[in-house]
Amino acid sequence: MAKTDPLVTVLKLAVAAEEKAALQLKAAQFERQKRQGQLDALNNYRLDYMKQMEGHTGTTLRANQYHQFHQFIRQVDQAILQQVAVVKDGEKQVGFRQHHWQETQQKRKAVEMLLAKKATKEQLAESKREQKMSDEFAMQQYFRNKMK
Protein backbone atom coordinates (compact mmCIF):
# COMPACT_ATOMS: atom_id res chain seq x y z
CA MET A 1 0.00 0.00 0.00
CA ALA A 2 1.38 3.40 -0.98
CA LYS A 3 2.07 5.84 1.80
CA THR A 4 0.06 9.07 1.54
CA ASP A 5 2.12 12.24 1.56
CA PRO A 6 1.27 14.42 4.59
CA LEU A 7 1.36 17.44 2.29
CA VAL A 8 -1.67 16.05 0.45
CA THR A 9 -3.58 16.13 3.74
CA VAL A 10 -2.35 19.66 4.39
CA LEU A 11 -3.50 20.64 0.89
CA LYS A 12 -6.97 19.19 1.51
CA LEU A 13 -7.22 21.19 4.74
CA ALA A 14 -6.00 24.34 2.98
CA VAL A 15 -8.55 23.91 0.18
CA ALA A 16 -11.33 23.42 2.75
CA ALA A 17 -10.23 26.53 4.66
CA GLU A 18 -10.14 28.55 1.44
CA GLU A 19 -13.63 27.39 0.46
CA LYS A 20 -14.94 28.29 3.91
CA ALA A 21 -13.31 31.73 3.70
CA ALA A 22 -14.81 32.26 0.23
CA LEU A 23 -18.29 31.43 1.55
CA GLN A 24 -17.81 33.82 4.46
CA LEU A 25 -16.71 36.54 2.04
CA LYS A 26 -19.75 35.94 -0.13
CA ALA A 27 -22.03 36.11 2.92
CA ALA A 28 -20.41 39.37 4.05
CA GLN A 29 -20.83 40.86 0.57
CA PHE A 30 -24.49 39.83 0.53
CA GLU A 31 -25.03 41.36 3.98
CA ARG A 32 -23.33 44.59 2.89
CA GLN A 33 -25.60 44.77 -0.17
CA LYS A 34 -28.63 44.20 2.00
CA ARG A 35 -27.56 46.97 4.38
CA GLN A 36 -26.88 49.32 1.46
CA GLY A 37 -30.32 48.53 0.08
CA GLN A 38 -31.88 49.46 3.40
CA LEU A 39 -29.95 52.74 3.41
CA ASP A 40 -31.08 53.48 -0.13
CA ALA A 41 -34.68 52.74 0.88
CA LEU A 42 -34.42 55.16 3.81
CA ASN A 43 -32.96 57.88 1.59
CA ASN A 44 -35.72 57.33 -0.98
CA TYR A 45 -38.37 57.39 1.74
CA ARG A 46 -37.00 60.70 3.04
CA LEU A 47 -36.92 62.14 -0.48
CA ASP A 48 -40.50 61.00 -1.18
CA TYR A 49 -41.69 62.48 2.10
CA MET A 50 -39.97 65.79 1.33
CA LYS A 51 -41.60 65.86 -2.12
CA GLN A 52 -44.94 65.12 -0.55
CA MET A 53 -44.53 68.03 1.84
CA GLU A 54 -43.32 70.20 -1.03
CA GLY A 55 -46.69 69.54 -2.64
CA HIS A 56 -48.28 71.36 0.30
CA THR A 57 -46.39 74.53 -0.54
CA GLY A 58 -48.72 77.49 -0.62
CA THR A 59 -51.25 75.82 1.65
CA THR A 60 -51.47 76.73 5.25
CA LEU A 61 -50.07 74.25 7.66
CA ARG A 62 -50.93 74.34 11.28
CA ALA A 63 -48.03 74.73 13.67
CA ASN A 64 -48.72 71.24 14.95
CA GLN A 65 -48.41 69.72 11.43
CA TYR A 66 -45.25 71.69 10.74
CA HIS A 67 -43.73 70.51 14.03
CA GLN A 68 -44.67 66.88 13.33
CA PHE A 69 -43.16 67.11 9.86
CA HIS A 70 -39.81 68.37 11.20
CA GLN A 71 -39.80 65.87 14.02
CA PHE A 72 -40.45 63.02 11.60
CA ILE A 73 -37.69 64.21 9.26
CA ARG A 74 -35.27 64.33 12.22
CA GLN A 75 -36.19 60.75 13.07
CA VAL A 76 -35.66 59.62 9.48
CA ASP A 77 -32.32 61.49 9.38
CA GLN A 78 -31.28 59.76 12.61
CA ALA A 79 -32.23 56.38 11.13
CA ILE A 80 -30.20 57.22 8.02
CA LEU A 81 -27.15 58.10 10.15
CA GLN A 82 -27.47 54.83 12.02
CA GLN A 83 -27.82 52.90 8.77
CA VAL A 84 -24.74 54.64 7.35
CA ALA A 85 -22.79 53.30 10.36
CA VAL A 86 -24.23 49.83 9.75
CA VAL A 87 -23.19 49.99 6.08
CA LYS A 88 -19.65 51.08 7.05
CA ASP A 89 -19.47 48.16 9.47
CA GLY A 90 -20.57 45.85 6.66
CA GLU A 91 -17.82 47.25 4.44
CA LYS A 92 -15.27 46.59 7.18
CA GLN A 93 -16.52 43.03 7.45
CA VAL A 94 -16.16 42.55 3.70
CA GLY A 95 -12.61 43.91 3.86
CA PHE A 96 -11.74 41.61 6.74
CA ARG A 97 -13.28 38.58 5.02
CA GLN A 98 -11.55 39.39 1.74
CA HIS A 99 -8.19 39.67 3.48
CA HIS A 100 -8.81 36.37 5.27
CA TRP A 101 -9.78 34.67 2.00
CA GLN A 102 -6.64 35.99 0.28
CA GLU A 103 -4.50 34.63 3.12
CA THR A 104 -6.07 31.18 2.87
CA GLN A 105 -5.64 31.29 -0.90
CA GLN A 106 -1.93 32.10 -0.49
CA LYS A 107 -1.51 29.21 1.95
CA ARG A 108 -3.17 26.79 -0.46
CA LYS A 109 -0.97 27.99 -3.32
CA ALA A 110 2.14 27.59 -1.14
CA VAL A 111 1.23 23.98 -0.33
CA GLU A 112 0.52 23.29 -4.00
CA MET A 113 3.90 24.75 -4.89
CA LEU A 114 5.62 22.55 -2.29
CA LEU A 115 3.87 19.49 -3.68
CA ALA A 116 4.87 20.44 -7.22
CA LYS A 117 8.51 20.94 -6.19
CA LYS A 118 8.49 17.64 -4.36
CA ALA A 119 7.01 15.86 -7.39
CA THR A 120 9.62 17.45 -9.66
CA LYS A 121 12.40 16.38 -7.29
CA GLU A 122 11.05 12.83 -7.13
CA GLN A 123 10.71 12.71 -10.91
CA LEU A 124 14.30 13.89 -11.31
CA ALA A 125 15.52 11.25 -8.83
CA GLU A 126 13.52 8.57 -10.68
CA SER A 127 15.01 9.69 -13.99
CA LYS A 128 18.53 9.45 -12.52
CA ARG A 129 17.81 5.95 -11.19
CA GLU A 130 16.49 4.85 -14.58
CA GLN A 131 19.51 6.36 -16.32
CA LYS A 132 21.86 4.62 -13.88
CA MET A 133 20.11 1.29 -14.43
CA SER A 134 20.23 1.82 -18.19
CA ASP A 135 23.92 2.67 -18.03
CA GLU A 136 24.64 -0.44 -15.92
CA PHE A 137 22.67 -2.62 -18.32
CA ALA A 138 24.51 -1.16 -21.29
CA MET A 139 27.87 -1.71 -19.55
CA GLN A 140 26.99 -5.33 -18.75
CA GLN A 141 25.95 -5.86 -22.37
CA TYR A 142 29.25 -4.38 -23.51
CA PHE A 143 31.31 -6.67 -21.26
CA ARG A 144 29.27 -9.72 -22.25
CA ASN A 145 29.81 -8.98 -25.92
CA LYS A 146 33.52 -8.34 -25.34
CA MET A 147 33.94 -11.61 -23.48
CA LYS A 148 32.54 -13.66 -26.35
Side-chain angles (χ1 to χ4, degrees):
M1 185 169 138
K3 186 177 171 187
T4 304
D5 190 338
L7 277 178
V8 171
T9 304
V10 172
L11 178 61
K12 287 178 184 177
L13 293 172
V15 166
E18 182 184 3
E19 288 172 356
K20 182 180 176 183
L23 287 174
Q24 289 173 339
L25 172 59
K26 194 171 188 175
Q29 288 171 332
F30 177 76
E31 185 63 28
R32 180 194 56 197
Q33 273 184 318
K34 186 175 127 185
R35 291 173 180 187
Q36 183 63 49
Q38 291 170 338
L39 176 60
D40 293 343
L42 279 171
N43 280 321
N44 289 335
Y45 182 70
R46 184 185 191 284
L47 184 63
D48 289 345
Y49 194 75
M50 292 296 285
K51 285 180 181 177
Q52 183 183 15
M53 288 309 292
E54 199 175 272
H56 290 293
T57 306
T59 61
T60 17
L61 288 176
R62 289 179 276 158
N64 184 14
Q65 289 174 318
Y66 188 74
H67 176 70
Q68 286 176 348
F69 165 73
H70 281 286
Q71 185 176 356
F72 183 73
I73 289 297
R74 277 195 299 271
Q75 289 174 340
V76 172
D77 286 344
Q78 186 61 36
I80 288 172
L81 288 174
Q82 290 172 353
Q83 193 62 29
V84 165
V86 169
V87 169
K88 284 182 183 178
D89 181 60
E91 290 171 355
K92 285 181 188 176
Q93 285 297 317
V94 167
F96 171 76
R97 295 293 179 197
Q98 187 158 8
H99 180 72
H100 178 67
W101 171 69
Q102 288 171 336
E103 284 179 342
T104 59
Q105 192 178 41
Q106 286 175 342
K107 287 177 185 177
R108 177 196 43 87
K109 286 179 180 179
V111 173
E112 285 176 342
M113 188 175 72
L114 284 173
L115 277 169
K117 281 184 179 180
K118 191 172 186 179
T120 302
K121 193 174 182 180
E122 288 173 359
Q123 189 177 17
L124 184 62
E126 181 65 26
S127 294
K128 284 182 180 180
R129 280 192 296 273
E130 287 176 4
Q131 184 64 44
K132 186 176 178 182
M133 286 174 49
S134 178
D135 289 349
E136 285 179 19
F137 181 74
M139 192 183 298
Q140 287 174 1
Q141 284 290 97
Y142 173 75
F143 283 127
R144 281 186 195 145
N145 289 337
K146 195 173 184 180
M147 296 287 242
K148 288 185 184 180

